[in-house]
Every structure is written in structure tokens, then in C-alpha cells.
Amino acid sequence: MAGVSSESLKAAQRELEAKLPTAPLSLAEELFAILGLLDSNAGLRRSLTDPSREGKDKARLVSELLGGNVSADARTVVEGLAASRWASARDIGDALETLAATTAIAVAESKGTGLDGLEGLENDLFSFIRAVNADHGLQRALSEPQASSEAKVRLALKLVPHAGAEAQVLISQAVSAPRGLKPTALVQRFVELVAQRQRRWIAEVSVARPLTPSQITRLQAGLDKLYGRELKINVNVDPSLVGGVRVQVGDEVVDSSVIARLAELQRKLAV
């Protein structure tokens, strides 16, 4: 996904983020169910991605279609997607799949210390992938077009009997509606989303020279306060920085190194 569709997905992810701290797993299930509706109706997908229609009109179409059959949060998420611009009809479904999976992942994240919940979910998903990849019979059974979705889900969940509820939802989605992929390939995509979420809990810190224990303690306290959660800190010594510190948490970078300040000065001089 690129261009206008990528920007629309990023905007939808920002809107969803505000709902995630209190989102129930049922929101993910609702979004996956709505995805099934979109995937089964090409005319609806075209209507919701028609660039000639006003965004508010497309959002109204979603509201009328879903009515009171889903939660207000689920309806709001899909209305936002419909009001956005998409490069292709397929892209809106891909975006909805990402948002639904992200919701399930965030519910797992809310358990324990955040990283613990995400690591547990990741382990459950990897267990499924390993079990299927090790057995060609399972691969054929989970891809058998004549088998019902319900039968595939029952088989898949037997492979991971101790999986958490969030993993069960993601695995069930992957085997019942892989959307052109092998079920394990879609689960692997969900694993990548888990990894993205994990990076929000890890601070990659680069410094010019080793930090003392007291400096690390102060850095930990400062970063935890800044991000509002207890981060795992990885400290790397990089003499090329000359001085200062560079911190990366997820996609966000805070750089106060001498090299960064010199680069900024050079940009200003070049103007």
C-alpha cells in the first residue's frame, strides 16, 4: 500500500490509537466481520472508494448499512475509512484488516507489563506457524476450498490449545479469510504487526561513551515519564556521535548528539 492509501491508513491508525487503551477484543471481531462484508461485495467496495463521491456521503452509506448492528466504535472506524481516499478498492479492505488486527494486538498489550502480553501473543502465533509448516497434511487441510470455515477454525485452534483469546481471534481470521494468502502467511503478517507494537516499548539509546549506573537510572526515569510507560532500554555506545544522546522509540527519534546538531547547522547554512 502506497501513496494516498498509505496516508489514509496512517490517519486511521492515529484515530484508532485513542480507542485502544480501553478497546475490548470484541471490537477486533466486529471489524473483521465488517471486512468479510466488504470482501463479499465488490459493488460496496467500489462505492466506498469512488473518488468522485464526497467523503461524508460514503461515511453516511456505512452508517446506514451498519446501523445499530455493531458498536459505535466499530462504526466510527469504518466511517473514517470510507470518508478517506484510496488508490484501489482492495486497499480499504487491507486497511480494515490492519486496524482489526492492531486492535486485537493492543488488547494483548494491555495485559501484564505490555511487552509481556505482546510476547505471549507472538509466541502463540509462532506456535501455530511452526505446527502448520511442519505438516503438509495440515497445510492442505487449511487451504482446502471445499472445507467450511468453521471446520478450518476448529482444526487450527486444536494446534494451539493454550493460545490466548487474542491469538485465537487472529488465527481464526487467518484460516477462515486469508484473502488470497496462505493462512500461515497472514499469521506472519500479524506477527509483524505485533513486532511493530513491541518497538513502542523499547528505547534504543545511542551514546558517545558508556553511561554510569546513575545516568542510566535517570535516563530510564526520564523516558518512562516522557512516554507514559515503563520502557526497556538498550544502550549502544557509538563514538561517532561525539557527544549527546540519540533515542529511538518505535518510529520516533530524539537526537541531541553533536553530529545531529552539526547536521542541522549545515542545513541552515545551506538555505
Side-chain angles (χ1 to χ4, degrees):
M1 191 181 299
V4 64
S5 292
S6 178
E7 293 304 313
S8 293
L9 173 57
K10 289 178 182 177
Q13 289 172 316
R14 289 192 295 269
E15 291 294 324
L16 178 66
E17 196 63 40
K19 305 179 186 298
L20 292 182
T22 57
L25 187 57
S26 59
L27 176 58
E29 295 173 312
E30 286 182 303
L31 295 179
F32 277 134
I34 297 169
L35 172 61
L37 175 64
L38 285 181
D39 282 345
S40 65
N41 192 325
L44 177 60
R45 292 197 304 277
R46 287 194 296 270
S47 295
L48 296 182
T49 56
D50 184 351
S52 67
R53 298 186 65 175
E54 291 287 338
K56 61 182 180 181
D57 292 335
K58 293 185 286 186
R60 187 181 305 114
L61 173 61
V62 167
S63 180
E64 293 172 352
L65 178 66
L66 299 179
N69 296 317
V70 299
S71 66
D73 280 345
R75 188 171 60 252
T76 298
V77 169
V78 183
E79 286 175 352
L81 291 177
S84 300
R85 298 175 58 209
W86 303 96
S88 73
R90 166 83 189 197
D91 286 350
I92 191 172
D94 290 347
L96 182 53
E97 181 180 70
T98 297
L99 298 182
T102 298
T103 302
I105 292 166
V107 174
E109 180 184 37
S110 68
K111 299 178 178 179
T113 62
L115 265 180
D116 289 345
L118 292 173
E119 289 172 355
L121 174 57
E122 184 179 55
N123 290 336
D124 288 343
L125 298 180
F126 273 133
S127 293
F128 171 78
I129 292 173
R130 286 193 296 268
V132 175
N133 285 345
D135 189 320
H136 292 296
L138 284 174
Q139 294 171 32
R140 289 192 295 272
L142 292 176
S143 301
E144 171 55 56
Q146 301 304 318
S148 68
S149 295
E150 292 78 7
K152 293 177 182 178
V153 169
R154 286 196 299 270
L155 174 59
L157 296 184
K158 285 181 180 179
L159 302 177
V160 284
H162 303 297
E166 300 79 24
Q168 291 182 32
V169 167
L170 294 176
I171 291 170
S172 297
Q173 177 66 19
V175 299
S176 62
R179 307 183 72 238
L181 297 175
K182 293 181 178 179
T184 51
L186 184 50
V187 173
Q188 181 61 48
R189 182 176 293 178
F190 293 154
V191 169
E192 293 167 2
L193 291 175
V194 174
Q196 290 178 19
R197 200 79 187 168
Q198 286 174 319
R199 288 195 286 272
R200 299 172 65 254
W201 291 84
I202 301 173
E204 297 292 345
V205 179
S206 297
V207 291
R209 53 188 59 83
L211 298 177
T212 65
S214 63
Q215 288 174 320
I216 293 176
T217 298
R218 291 197 299 273
L219 178 64
Q220 178 81 61
L223 290 175
D224 289 352
K225 182 178 180 180
L226 177 63
Y227 287 94
R229 52 187 180 271
E230 186 176 342
L231 300 176
K232 176 182 178 181
I233 294 182
N234 295 330
V235 179
N236 306 296
V237 178
D238 181 1
S240 68
L241 294 177
V242 183
V245 61
R246 182 182 187 275
V247 178
Q248 180 165 357
V249 178
D251 295 329
E252 185 175 345
V253 177
V254 179
D255 196 335
S256 64
S257 68
V258 171
I259 294 300
R261 293 198 295 270
L262 287 175
E264 178 64 21
L265 178 59
Q266 288 176 335
R267 285 194 292 271
K268 290 179 179 179
L269 290 175
V271 174

